[in-house]
Amino acid sequence: KFNVVNPDDIVNEYGADALRLYEMYMGPLDQVKPWQTDGVRGMHRFLGRVYRLIIGEDGNLHERIHKDATASDEIIQIAHKTTKRVTEDIDSMHFNTAIAAMIEFVNALYKEPAVPNDIAERLTLLISPFAPHLGEELWRALGHQESLAYAPWPAFDEKLLVAQKITIAVQVMGKTRGTIDISPDMDKDAIIELAKNVDNVARQIEGKNIVKTIYVPGKIVNLIAK
């Protein structure tokens, strides 16, 4: 009936990687999914973001990728969470959620002033089963002469999946006056003491008696002062 989309036309316009990625991103393999060419464009844009994250305008490795760069605790956590998610989703053939996790990973990396080589390599390996052509190009740009097919799959550390720091709000009489960063295993009394010493909080409670302290673990400290 000539009412189908010719995959050759899609490959010619957007590339085989974008087509592969979109087909896996459409949803669970056991469900019927409508074809939308806009979805291919979306995957093509995402691959472009991955490329520009690692490759600069001059075609060489982007200046943000640096072997001496230090990854923040947040990026390390996201990297290991993404690795776990993609690894498990590939095994269970939930490709759409694996791609969603990588999109979040890339968004987080764009917020960083510098990205260590090992983080860029991890992203490249994770995306390579979905976009093998792009994966090989980025792998070569990262200084590898041999195909990434010979590189081991990245591992994840369960200990690094837990947030190293949690940001919680500090309130005085129910109004937010600041925030503090705490570790998940930090003692309640230490958290409250830290909250009292936030500059804006200290000004609000100066000369007053704290009659009640409300602590919601991982969320807020609320100081009731009179």
Side-chain angles (χ1 to χ4, degrees), residues 26-180:
M26 290 174 74
L29 297 178
D30 58 350
Q31 295 182 12
V32 176
K33 301 167 286 289
W35 174 271
Q36 293 180 324
T37 302
D38 282 345
V40 184
R41 296 190 186 100
M43 290 297 99
H44 184 258
R45 287 194 296 270
F46 167 62
L47 292 177
R49 280 175 56 79
V50 175
Y51 181 85
R52 292 188 297 275
L53 178 72
I54 298 176
I55 307 296
E57 292 183 2
D58 60 358
N60 297 316
L61 195 64
H62 198 287
E63 60 183 10
R64 73 163 60 89
I65 309 297
H66 201 283
K67 64 179 180 180
D68 296 326
T70 302
S72 64
D73 290 341
E74 181 183 5
I75 286 297
I76 291 174
Q77 182 194 10
I78 294 173
H80 283 259
K81 276 188 173 181
T82 305
T83 303
K84 175 181 172 67
R85 183 66 178 270
V86 173
T87 301
E88 294 178 350
D89 284 352
I90 288 177
D91 287 341
S92 60
M93 301 183 73
H94 293 157
F95 304 128
N96 56 322
T97 51
I99 295 169
M102 287 188 286
I103 291 173
E104 293 179 10
F105 187 20
V106 171
N107 289 341
L109 290 176
Y110 262 100
K111 298 176 183 178
E112 297 294 298
V115 177
N117 274 52
D118 62 326
I119 295 292
E121 289 177 352
R122 180 182 291 267
L123 171 63
T124 300
L125 289 170
L126 291 177
I127 204 168
S128 63
F130 303 85
H133 299 89
L134 177 63
E136 289 288 356
E137 185 172 351
L138 297 181
W139 193 246
R140 181 63 63 91
L142 287 164
H144 299 277
Q145 299 302 314
E146 194 173 49
S147 168
L148 56 68
Y150 299 102
W153 184 252
F156 58 88
D157 187 341
E158 292 282 356
K159 295 178 182 178
L160 296 176
L161 301 179
V162 180
Q164 301 299 306
K165 290 184 179 180
I166 301 172
T167 300
I168 65 173
V170 181
Q171 299 179 342
V172 178
M173 304 296 290
K175 293 185 178 181
T176 301
R177 301 298 183 179
T179 61
I180 54 174

Side-chain angles (χ1 to χ4, degrees), residues 3 10 22 27 30 53 89-90 116 187 193 198 213 220:
N3 61 350
I10 298 296
Y22 173 61
D30 58 350
L53 178 72
D89 284 352
I90 288 177
D187 179 76
E193 193 61 32
V198 174
T213 301
I220 63 164

